[in-house]
Amino acid sequence: MQNTEHAIEVTGLRTRYGDREVLKGLTFSIPRGKTTVILGGSGCGKSTLLKHLIGLLRPSAGSIRINGREITTLDEPGMDRVRGKMGVLFQGAALLNSMTIADNVALPIREHTKINEATLQIMVRMKLDLVGLSGFDHFYPSQLSGGMKKRAGLARALALDPEMLFFDEPSAGLDPVTAAGLDELIMKLRNVFRMTIIVVTHELPSVFAIADYVIMLDKGQILFAGTLDGLRASDHPRIRMFLERKPEQQAYSPDDYFRVIAGE
Amino acid sequence: MKIDVGDYKGNKVVSLAGEIDMHSSPALRERLLVLIRERPQRLVVNFRDVSYIDSSGIATFVEGLKHMRTYNGRLQFSEIPQGIMEIFSFSKLDKVFEICGTLDEAVNC
Ligand SMILES: Nc1ncnc2c1ncn2[C@@H]1O[C@H](COP(=O)(O)OP(=O)(O)OP(=O)(O)O)[C@@H](O)[C@H]1O
Ligand SMILES: [Mg+2]
């Protein structure tokens, strides 16, 4: 266990898909043992940022330090060790369809530890119960609803009792009661296990419930990084627009609009 | 993690120290199952010096208790630090395991 204040430190992070730059020089830190929410409009680069933080994508420039260790230059075995401390729930849950839910949750435990099978089965049932999926052990992903798949993905993310948890829109597609239950679970994980939790979300009620710290992206840059209270107090027009759920202003003049739809 | 097995007033006591996690719980399991094979009426686990327990550690105790219940044995936990107690409560197992204050309270109840 590290005692430094920041779990993650990012400096000058730039990345591109082809010749399109998506992240344009991000510098920020993520506090240890707290919940950080990443906000921003669709397509602004949130998922791309998350993939860099877990070492799935390499930046074209800049530095990412996890627990003080630079990961952008780490080899695969080194990165694997860092990932052993991370739990990740992607936007699409990404379960393996050929395996039952129980085996999906067991997979990281089987891969990373020497836990005996009997103990492992108990662990898997504990994780499934945590996300409200007790009794669904032997179901296959195709037999679950979207929200259930997401919760199964969360159970898998929790399999190794990670020190850091990454969620990409965990409550999208969940009914309000299940979503609130998920927020509560996130808060408990932070309080009881002092986990560092990083959540991408668009759900404002969820932001206000779980966030200690907020990072807001806009067009590949940091618009805001600070506490939830700081966000609430901000008078930046784009932040206000987001908090008050105002639609974007019409970006085009009528002539420009005509050219866009006419394909000129 | 350190595991010490001793006797206290005629009862077997397992004293643990350090972190009970995915790396150390297989060793804990071995020791526990060997002890339980003797079918002790009472097995006390002392948590005084435990700094962390994860779900593999908790699952190990669930497995132990499952075995002990087959012959009505009692698995008791003593001197649980506050942070560890929070983890037990979170796991909803604070009502399943016998949680006692001191070692004396455990062996006398
Ligand atoms: N594999 C890829 N190849 C090329 N471009 C990509 C790829 N993935 C994402 N992009 C582009 O990068 C930009 C950021 O995408 P990203 O998925 O990070 O957005 P996001 O903020 O997560 O959006 P959303 O809220 O809709 O999930 C988008 O403009 C997208 O078109
Ligand atoms: Mg996304």
Side-chain angles (χ1 to χ4, degrees), chain B:
Chain B
M1 183 195 50
K2 233 172 116 261
I3 311 174
D4 267 324
V5 180
D7 282 290
Y8 186 73
K9 299 187 176 168
N11 300 280
K12 279 263 175 289
V13 177
V14 182
S15 300
L16 302 175
E19 301 192 351
I20 310 174
D21 58 16
M22 310 261 169
H23 299 290
S24 56
S25 56
L28 172 65
R29 177 177 187 271
E30 295 267 302
R31 293 295 289 274
L32 270 187
L33 292 187
V34 167
L35 286 168
I36 291 172
R37 220 166 282 152
E38 306 287 322
R39 299 167 72 93
Q41 262 322 299
R42 187 202 298 276
L43 185 61
V44 186
V45 182
N46 194 313
F47 281 84
R48 194 187 62 207
D49 298 319
V50 173
S51 53
Y52 176 70
I53 182 165
D54 72 2
S55 58
S56 71
I58 290 173
T60 301
F61 288 115
V62 170
E63 205 186 337
L65 180 61
K66 211 169 130 187
H67 287 294
M68 291 186 79
R69 282 193 169 169
T70 62
Y71 65 89
N72 291 321
R74 293 168 71 182
L75 181 60
Q76 298 179 308
F77 293 171
S78 64
E79 298 194 63
I80 303 180
Q82 176 63 30
I84 304 297
M85 193 58 217
E86 280 177 33
I87 298 177
F88 279 124
S89 308
F90 173 82
S91 323
K92 297 189 274 187
L93 289 164
D94 50 336
K95 304 284 187 300
V96 175
F97 296 115
E98 265 191 76
I99 306 228
C100 313
T102 63
L103 211 49
D104 275 308
E105 275 164 354
V107 298
N108 288 324
C109 80

Side-chain angles (χ1 to χ4, degrees), chain A residues 215-233:
Chain A
I215 292 169
M216 191 161 175
L217 297 183
D218 186 35
K219 302 193 180 90
Q221 287 175 315
I222 304 257
L223 187 59
F224 176 88
T227 61
L228 184 60
D229 286 339
L231 182 82
R232 277 205 192 92

